Each structure stands twice: as structure tokens, then as C-alpha cells.
Amino acid sequence: MDQPSGRSFMQVLCEKYSPENFPYRRGPGMGVHVPATPQGSPMKDRLNLPSVLVLNSCGITCAGDENEIAAFCAHVSELDLSDNKLEDWHEVSKIVSNVPHLEFLNLSSNPLSLSVLERRCAGSFAGVRKLVLNNSKASWETVHTILQELPDLEELFLCLNDYETVSCSPVCCQSLKLLHITDNNLQDWTEIRKLGIMFPSLDTLILANNNLTTIEESEDSLARLFPNLRSINLHKSGLHCWEDIDKLNSFPKLEEVKLLGIPLLQSYTTEERRKLLIARLPSIIKLNGSIVADGEREDSERFFIRYYMEFPEEEVPFRYHELVTKYGKLEPLAVVDLRPQSSVKVEVHFQDKVEEMSIRLDQTVAELKKHLKTVVQLSTSNMLLFYLDQEAPFGPEEMKYSSRALHSYGIRDGDKIYVEPRTK
């Protein structure tokens, strides 16, 4: 049978991992010694093959000699063939069927949508636990065939495949724990619910960068659809109402949520977003990648009560009443202005006269003297200033440094400044 044109898997393997290009490294799983190569093989007696093979972007179009693949890849557990030119599932099957311990396979960005995956070919994938088909444009028919032949599949990556709908498999995949299906165009919840039907054991669902607009499902139905879901990623979805966030509480085992970049949260501050989300999701222990500590949860729930306490009754969420039952009705927090004062009112004492004045604290002692010239009828060079803090126990302090700013003295309303003529 004629070999397809292009570079073969074995050709690239020999080039990349030959002793000349890949110096021998000792240690478990780092090298393999083959005492005799297949008849007619151009390879030497030894290839330095790690258990993890990375052959991405190498222009691979076909498998090459299957006997050689079997001889040299018996110990390989992970294989990255992303961004090659594999378009025939039969060629992929030739490679995978001769790697008996393969558990991880990355076929991203290969034009595999150009061929049909037959079940007899898919059977060669049986031991694979993690399969990556990002940007392969794999059809749902292909995905279904794979699911029927991979009884131990735990993680499946289907990103960037232009899916607008989900086609249900005739058979449930009980083994799948993680589904990564970001950057598609799944807008309708009726499509997402099919994933729950197909993957009832799903632990992690990553739906980022899909324009999902709402979660149209009853609470009881959500609990049945995703009974084991522990983590969900809805970054940059189209969710725009708090009712959709509340529905996440229906997943009985949910403890991690990612919700950045959704329309609902755009009008809130960073603090408001996090605290309002934490308060509405009482079971989560991690939000947007950060652990929710017990202290942060209590702060957020108290914040939630105060946030909604002035809202009309018809706009107050049910969660508000739950938290009032927990903490009671709280008083509004006092508003404290922590900005430094820009001016103060002080008493200026000169001889027997006392005058109340407002002075700017950003000016210097020299500038204050100029301001007082007309009040005390003394030149600045003939003027001594003393500052008396009304609470200080040590008496007046001479303001002797002309360039010193007034705010550095800690002057407050009601303090006193004494002016005296300089004695010769």
C-alpha cells in the first residue's frame, strides 16, 4: 500500500530524538535501549525517547513503519501531535495502536474533519484517558465514536471547534470528569444541558468564551443534570441577570466558580463584584481562582445586607432575607472621610489681640508669615511664630523653619498660633 506523501511520524521521531540531536539522559523513563532494530530500519541501535513525546508543528501527515513505532514507543505515555497535517484518522490509528501505554493524546489543529473516524480505528484509542481535539473541527459524530471506544476517558478538550449546537451521544460516558469546551458559540442553555446528559459524572465544566445568555432550567432539573459538578468556568459568557447566578446554587456539589467578564457585573466595582457573588453563592470555596476564607465570607455577607437594605422590597433578593435571619438587621457603616484636611481654623494671638483665622495647611511657615503681616503689623524678618497644640503637655513650639509645611505640625481646628516681635 502506498504511503501518503509528506513527513511520517517515524521520520520526525528519528530526526528529533536521534542520539546526535537528543543526548542520552539516564534515569527512569528518560531513555530506551533497543538491542535490534527491525529489518531494513535506517535507525541506529538506540534512540533516546522520553515517555512524553512532543512532536507538534512538524508537518506530520502519516504514521510511517508501524513495526518501528511499536519497537520504539512501547513505554510512551504522552504524545503531542498538535498543529501537524494529519487529515486521515486511519493514519492516527496506526500511530496510537502501536503505543500501548498511551494515556494522553493531543491532536489539536490537525485537519481531521476531512475524514470519517470509523469505530475500528477509534478502538485503538481505548487506553487514552486525556484527549485534546482543540481546533480540529471534529464533528459530534466523531466525538460520539470516540466516546463509545474510550471506556476510561477522563478529560476531553473540544475548544475552538465552531460548535453552535451539541449533539447527544446515544451512549452516556460515565468516566469523563473534565470537559474543556471554550471558545465555541454555545449560546442556548438547551445545548449545555445535553452535556449533563452525556457526561453524568462530570466534575469540571469549562465553558469560557461561549456567549451563553441565560440558564433556563429549574433548580430540581439542574441538580439531576449535573449531580457531581464541582467546578464551572463561565468567564466571558453572556449572563446578564442575578437569577442565573442564584441557579448555580442548584448544583449540589459545586464549590468553585469562575465568572469574570460577564455583562451582569460590568456596572459594579471590583469589590462589589466579589462580595456580592460570594454572598449569593454560600457553598463555594473558591471564586475566580482565589480561596474564599471564612472571614471574607462573613464580610461579604454583611456587605450584602447593607448593600440591599435601602432597596425597595420588590427588588430585594431572597438571599437578603436569609442573611438577615443569620446576622440580624445591621446598622449602616459610618462614613469616615480619611482625606487630610486642607485648611483649619486657628486662634492667632498677638499682644492682647486674638483673631480667629482660617489657614491653608499646604503652605509653608514663610508663606504664613506673609499672610500675617497685615494682621500683626510686623515684617516677616521681625516675626516669631509659636504653635500651641491644645492637647500638648509641653507648651508652645517655635515654628523656626521657614520652608516647613504647616501640615507637618499636625495643626487642627482650635489650635493657637502666637506671634511675637523678634528682640534685638
Side-chain angles (χ1 to χ4, degrees), residues 268-278 296 299-300 303:
Y268 296 90
T269 67
T270 301
E271 179 190 29
E272 289 171 343
R273 290 170 190 168
R274 185 167 178 85
K275 288 185 173 180
L276 293 177
L277 285 171
I278 289 172
E296 183 183 17
D299 288 345
S300 298
F303 176 90

Side-chain angles (χ1 to χ4, degrees), residues 258-400:
K258 293 185 177 180
L259 278 167
L260 294 176
I262 64 174
L264 168 65
L265 301 176
Q266 287 179 353
S267 62
Y268 296 90
T269 67
T270 301
E271 179 190 29
E272 289 171 343
R273 290 170 190 168
R274 185 167 178 85
K275 288 185 173 180
L276 293 177
L277 285 171
I278 289 172
R280 282 189 182 258
L281 300 170
S283 298
I284 65 164
I285 60 175
K286 187 180 285 189
L287 175 64
N288 295 331
S290 299
I291 295 291
V292 179
D294 290 342
E296 183 183 17
R297 172 161 297 286
E298 181 173 341
D299 288 345
S300 298
E301 290 176 346
R302 289 178 176 276
F303 176 90
F304 189 90
I305 293 173
R306 291 188 171 99
Y307 185 87
Y308 282 105
M309 65 195 319
E310 301 298 333
F311 275 58
E313 181 63 30
E314 63 274 13
E315 296 180 24
V316 173
F318 179 71
R319 181 64 175 154
Y320 171 83
H321 300 292
E322 291 181 331
L323 292 175
V324 167
T325 301
K326 181 177 180 179
Y327 295 105
K329 288 200 171 183
L330 305 178
E331 293 296 324
L333 290 175
V335 178
V336 180
D337 189 354
L338 298 177
R339 293 174 298 178
Q341 281 185 278
S342 59
S343 64
V344 292
K345 288 186 176 180
V346 297
E347 290 182 2
V348 177
H349 291 251
F350 177 63
Q351 297 176 346
D352 296 329
K353 298 177 182 177
V354 178
E355 184 166 338
E356 190 177 82
M357 296 182 61
S358 177
I359 60 172
R360 292 189 352 263
L361 294 177
D362 61 348
Q363 63 184 328
T364 63
V365 172
E367 291 171 329
L368 176 59
K369 286 183 176 181
K370 289 181 182 178
H371 186 61
L372 294 174
K373 273 173 60 175
T374 56
V375 177
V376 299
Q377 301 297 314
L378 291 173
S379 66
T380 57
S381 60
N382 196 33
M383 191 185 302
L384 296 177
L385 299 184
F386 296 85
Y387 160 60
L388 178 63
D389 182 343
Q390 55 189 331
E391 296 180 2
F394 304 114
E397 173 188 358
E398 184 178 355
M399 304 171 77
K400 62 174 68 175

Side-chain angles (χ1 to χ4, degrees), residues 28-229:
M30 300 306 292
V32 59
H33 176 75
V34 182
T37 56
Q39 184 68 30
S41 170
M43 294 188 296
K44 299 182 179 180
D45 288 344
R46 174 171 59 80
L47 267 187
N48 299 335
L49 291 185
S51 60
V52 177
L53 297 184
V54 180
L55 298 173
N56 62 307
S57 306
C58 294
I60 297 171
T61 60
C62 58
D65 191 297
E66 291 184 67
N67 291 326
E68 291 182 345
I69 297 174
F72 289 97
C73 296
H75 69 300
V76 171
S77 61
E78 298 189 16
L79 179 57
D80 183 354
L81 293 173
S82 60
D83 198 26
N84 279 292
K85 297 179 181 179
L86 290 162
E87 58 183 47
D88 189 340
W89 281 105
H90 186 60
E91 292 300 317
V92 177
S93 176
K94 287 181 184 179
I95 298 171
V96 174
S97 62
N98 289 291
V99 188
H101 294 102
L102 190 65
E103 294 188 351
F104 172 87
L105 177 61
N106 187 350
L107 293 170
S108 297
S109 300
N110 280 281
L112 289 164
S113 62
L114 300 175
S115 68
V116 176
L117 175 60
E118 300 173 359
R119 286 195 65 173
R120 62 185 178 86
C121 288
S124 63
F125 293 69
V128 173
R129 294 178 180 273
K130 299 178 183 180
L131 180 61
V132 187
L133 295 173
N134 296 338
N135 196 34
S136 65
K137 306 302 184 280
S139 67
W140 282 109
E141 181 183 2
T142 294
V143 173
H144 297 162
T145 302
I146 290 171
L147 294 177
Q148 292 177 60
E149 299 299 321
L150 273 66
D152 299 320
L153 186 65
E154 296 177 357
E155 298 183 9
L156 179 60
F157 294 74
L158 296 173
C159 311
L160 296 161
N161 282 333
D162 297 335
Y163 296 139
E164 294 184 358
T165 60
V166 173
S167 173
C168 259
S169 171
V171 185
C172 289
C173 180
Q174 297 286 349
S175 61
L176 198 74
K177 305 297 184 196
L178 180 148
L179 178 62
H180 208 299
I181 193 166
T182 67
D183 297 279
N184 285 287
N185 194 26
L186 300 172
Q187 301 183 40
D188 198 323
W189 178 257
T190 56
E191 306 305 321
I192 306 303
R193 73 187 313 276
K194 296 174 188 176
L195 301 176
I197 296 170
M198 280 197 289
F199 308 118
S201 301
L202 206 60
D203 169 276
T204 302
L205 178 57
I206 304 174
L207 284 167
N209 297 319
N210 281 283
N211 196 28
L212 178 67
T213 54
T214 188
I215 300 176
E216 296 177 303
E217 198 81 42
S218 69
E219 294 180 5
D220 291 344
S221 181
L222 284 173
R224 291 194 300 270
L225 279 172
F226 294 95
N228 297 295
L229 192 66

